Amino acid sequence: MLDTLLRILSEGGTYSSSDLAKRLGVGEEPLHEMIEGLVGLGYLKSLAGSCGQNCGQCAPSDACCVGV
């Protein structure tokens, strides 16, 4: 299932947790565990806490939920 998640993410775009969970047929908690595992393995990079909220220069600013 991790390979399916990576394939979906490699398509590009922005996804909510609920959308990804639905596409994978799992709950949001297992999805978050999968994402954490992929971060730990180096396949994904966590950007949490790295945002300087300089949204004018951020490509996905229209889909960002930082500060919400």
Side-chain angles (χ1 to χ4, degrees):
M1 188 166 307
L2 292 176
D3 57 332
T4 303
L5 176 56
L6 284 173
R7 183 181 45 75
I8 292 169
L9 295 174
S10 73
E11 295 170 356
T14 305
Y15 304 93
S16 69
S17 295
S18 60
D19 289 340
L20 283 173
K22 194 177 297 183
R23 285 185 68 174
L24 293 169
V26 299
E28 288 188 45
E29 184 63 31
L31 171 68
H32 290 290
E33 291 172 6
M34 286 189 278
I35 290 172
E36 288 176 15
L38 290 170
V39 169
L41 292 169
Y43 286 98
L44 298 177
K45 180 179 176 184
S46 175
L47 297 177
S50 66
C51 177
Q53 294 187 356
N54 191 3
C55 298
Q57 298 177 17
C58 183
S61 64
D62 59 336
C64 184
C65 62
V66 173
V68 175

